[in-house]
Amino acid sequence: MFSWDDLAQRAGVTHDEARRSAERLRREGFPVVSLDGQGCTIPEDEDILCLPGIYRGLATRVLGRQICYTLTTGSTNDDAKALAGICPEGTLVTCEAQTKGKGRLSRQWESPRGGIFMSLILKPQIPPAAVPSLALAAGCAVAAALEATGIDAEVKWPNDVLVEGKKLAGILCELGATGAGVQHVIVGIGVNANIPASRLPQELRERSISLSQVVGKPVDRSTLIARVLNQFEPLYFRFLESGIEPIIPEISTRLAYLGQPVMIHNTALGSGDVHHGILRGLDRDGSLLIETPEGDILRFAAGDLSLRAK
Ligand code: BT5
């Protein structure tokens, strides 16, 4: 247990501010236990991210070398965007829960406590058109990190990771650009690590899955974050050198629905723009190849597209 004075001194705030902060955390649902009004603590077995744990697991040169951490925030992607001008490449922004987690096309990413919410600030010198393929590389890194812990994961084009056919992780790449080109790319990764189904809305429970459900116990999120970064960094360096092409084989071995019937539609254009066919794989630039019933190969660049098994 920490006394209020101890906490106040460590945080550089007054005794009263320390008490108020602890109270606010408790109201936000964090397991802050207070003893006889003398101070407070968080029980040791509680699932709170451990920054030294992330640093300990890191084998990277650039990614995650600087970490910005908050308990609750709107969206780590938004925070990363705000920090991009002053933080070095590879900075990781992470938190315990998001109140305005974002998916693509203004969709919502459910972000209750127990999940991993991480955004990387990258500063690649690439054309804007190459940015969406970074989501594939990030998805591949998440899948590889899971495989290293014995979990079979698939990359669902263009930005999801599936386990047991259900969505476990989603990736949102956002671009900051001026007329002169890409200034920064924020790669946001959300992973359902220790999220019980009861913390997700009813309509998502069938389609989503959390790692704790798969392995039957909570996973160590700090270690997993480090593993994802360790997997992503070499892919990112290769991407910087030669684009997505050299990484395509690694993504392809994990590609969901390969050889299976799928439908794809342009979410922005509405349900009229639907194509059916067999998923044949990825083109050299990360575009998706689908063979129509007539035997034509259609090519889809990652955009506002939604892919489904038929
Ligand atoms: C994504 O969008 O999958 C991108 C998700 C990116 C989230 C990360 S968390 C850190 C960073 N900060 C942010 O604010 N965002 C990034 P999309 O392909 O559009 O999928 C969104 C759809 O996935 C929703 O419309 C739901 O159907 C579903 N969904 C929402 N929350 C989910 C969850 N926790 N688990 C599984 N599916 C979810």
Side-chain angles (χ1 to χ4, degrees):
M1 222 237 338
F2 298 98
S3 72
W4 296 121
D5 283 338
D6 188 10
L7 286 171
Q9 202 181 3
R10 285 170 188 240
V13 297
T14 65
H15 182 108
D16 280 354
E17 281 165 344
R19 291 182 79 125
R20 276 200 298 274
S21 301
E23 192 43 47
R24 202 176 54 239
L25 290 177
R26 199 178 8 240
R27 277 202 306 272
E28 285 177 11
F30 289 95
V32 178
V33 179
S34 152
L35 285 177
D36 300 334
Q38 303 296 308
C40 73
T41 191
I42 290 184
E44 260 176 32
D45 54 353
E46 280 298 335
D47 180 23
I48 296 285
L49 276 180
C50 164
L51 298 202
I54 301 179
Y55 285 123
R56 246 196 321 272
L58 279 182
T60 55
R61 220 158 28 83
V62 175
L63 301 191
R65 286 286 139 204
Q66 183 157 318
I67 303 179
C68 303
Y69 168 76
T70 44
L71 287 168
T72 306
T73 189
S75 153
T76 53
N77 262 34
D78 289 346
D79 293 349
K81 241 181 278 176
L83 291 167
I86 52 168
C87 287
E89 161 143 283
T91 301
L92 175 74
V93 182
T94 186
C95 69
E96 300 289 348
Q98 299 184 124
T99 53
K100 290 187 185 130
K102 301 190 299 184
R104 295 180 301 151
L105 295 165
S106 313
R107 286 193 285 251
Q108 200 173 321
W109 182 254
E110 298 294 332
S111 310
R113 277 184 53 215
I116 290 175
F117 314 103
M118 54 189 276
S119 299
L120 281 167
I121 299 174
L122 302 180
K123 303 187 177 181
Q125 297 194 339
I126 53 170
V131 170
S133 55
L134 259 180
L136 280 174
C140 186
V142 173
L146 294 172
E147 282 157 22
T149 56
I151 294 167
D152 273 344
E154 292 176 302
V155 176
K156 183 187 158 208
W157 187 95
N159 70 316
D160 290 348
V161 176
L162 306 182
V163 169
E164 297 177 7
K166 296 179 177 182
K167 184 158 173 170
L168 179 104
I171 290 136
L172 175 66
C173 289
E174 293 187 284
L175 166 70
T178 59
V182 171
Q183 279 197 317
H184 61 255
V185 177
I186 308 300
V187 178
I189 305 175
V191 184
N192 297 334
N194 300 326
I195 303 184
S198 59
R199 280 194 206 154
L200 291 177
Q202 188 75 42
E203 69 274 13
L204 282 186
R205 292 183 196 166
E206 285 294 300
R207 293 184 277 132
S208 64
I209 195 162
S210 174
L211 280 174
S212 50
Q213 278 169 263
V214 181
V215 297
K217 58 176 190 209
V219 296
D220 182 339
R221 291 178 301 144
S222 310
T223 305
L224 185 57
I225 290 176
R227 287 198 172 133
V228 170
L229 297 181
N230 292 345
Q231 293 290 340
F232 189 38
E233 185 169 278
L235 296 179
Y236 178 58
F237 286 167
R238 263 151 72 195
F239 175 86
L240 287 181
E241 257 175 44
S242 325
I244 195 73
E245 189 172 345
I247 307 169
I248 293 291
E250 269 165 74
I251 303 169
S252 298
T253 55
R254 305 180 165 100
L255 196 62
Y257 311 144
L258 194 60
Q260 293 175 27
V262 291
M263 57 182 275
I264 186 164
H265 77 278
N266 188 321
T267 15
L269 292 179
S271 53
D273 192 39
V274 183
H275 300 274
H276 299 265
I278 304 291
L279 196 154
R280 289 297 177 209
L282 297 174
D283 209 349
R284 291 174 354 180
D285 64 351
S287 298
L288 190 72
L289 301 173
I290 290 184
E291 185 178 347
T292 66
E294 295 74 36
D296 298 323
I297 298 287
L298 301 179
R299 195 171 164 281
F300 297 90
D304 304 335
L305 292 166
S306 171
L307 173 72
R308 269 199 227 139
K310 241 174 76 178

